[in-house]
Amino acid sequence: MDPIQEQFVQRLKEHGITLEPSQLEQFEIYFKELVEWNEKMNLTGITEREQVYTKHFYDSISLAFYVNMEEIGTLADIGSGAGFPGIPLKICFPHLKLTIIDSLNKRISFLQHVVQETGLKDVELLHGRAEDWGRKAGYRDHFDLVTARAVARQAVLNEFCLPFVKVNGLFAAMKGSDPAEEVQEAAKSLKELRGKVIEVERFLLPVEESARHIVQIRKTAPTPGKYPRKAGTAVKSPLI
């Protein structure tokens, strides 16, 4: 284990998360594939190893500091991009049944390769729009936990993500800057989509101490039939 991994392991241990050598190996495979594929397609602007471990891996896993993953069986990651936060969470918590949805097929191809190389099981990778998948049986009102990291403003995210959450399940929006204004703006969408903000967590990333926020929303009732609206509508006409 080199100093970067040692630091990574230690920081997670401080939050009660311990990694086996095999899991560390999976993270290292993920890092190498991310950098290699990034030369062919735009996956991330962050490729320096220590930065990837902090700003992508640790940042993704931070959700588990506030949500008890042992109580989560099914996780959906919407607009996952290069697999954040879904893949790091899956590596740390192998029992999770992970579904990733992304609108870009080449990103899904990258993730299929990562899953194959790391040997992860129970990972479903879906190409398409969240608004389309959110209407399908087996996905709608189905997941214990749904997450999205740095995807869109809260009012839009709610329409993308809350349809996937089962009643009494949780939607966690992972954000950088303070989302207070966004959350206020999203009041109408929360009411329409049957969500209730239960907590907004704030923490600092190690080293550079940049702020991160996690908006936790509880699903209070099934999603009304008219939502989500057709693809593209939420972005053009958010529920505000």
Side-chain angles (χ1 to χ4, degrees), residues 167-186:
V167 177
N168 293 320
L170 197 64
F171 165 40
M174 303 179 73
K175 294 185 167 287
S177 55
D178 187 348
E181 186 190 324
E182 284 186 41
V183 170
Q184 199 173 359
E185 176 189 85

Side-chain angles (χ1 to χ4, degrees), residues 9 32 34 39 76 86 100 109 118 128 137 157 170 175 179 186 197 205 216 227 232:
V9 166
K32 286 174 178 170
L34 178 70
E39 291 175 5
I100 284 178
S109 297
T118 53
L157 270 187
L170 197 64
K175 294 185 167 287
V197 176
L205 275 186
Q216 292 193 49
Y227 299 112

Side-chain angles (χ1 to χ4, degrees), residues 193-228:
L193 294 155
R194 312 299 190 260
K196 181 183 180 184
V197 176
I198 55 169
E199 200 70 61
V200 180
E201 308 288 357
R202 181 185 187 277
F203 66 98
L204 298 175
L205 275 186
V207 189
E208 63 175 64
E209 300 195 336
S210 55
R212 294 290 186 270
H213 298 79
I214 299 175
V215 183
Q216 292 193 49
I217 296 169
R218 182 75 64 198
K219 174 98 162 251
T220 58
T223 302
K226 61 182 174 179
Y227 299 112

Side-chain angles (χ1 to χ4, degrees), residues 18-34:
T18 55
L19 294 179
E20 298 294 329
S22 60
Q23 291 167 299
L24 260 184
E25 192 182 337
Q26 288 174 314
F27 275 113
E28 192 59 18
I29 291 168
Y30 189 11
F31 162 70
K32 286 174 178 170
E33 296 299 337
L34 178 70

Side-chain angles (χ1 to χ4, degrees), residues 11-12 15 17 58 61-69 203:
R11 285 175 182 150
L12 293 182
H15 293 279
I17 298 169
Y58 179 91
I61 299 161
S62 66
L63 182 55
F65 306 164
Y66 307 102
V67 176
N68 184 353
M69 289 293 162
F203 66 98

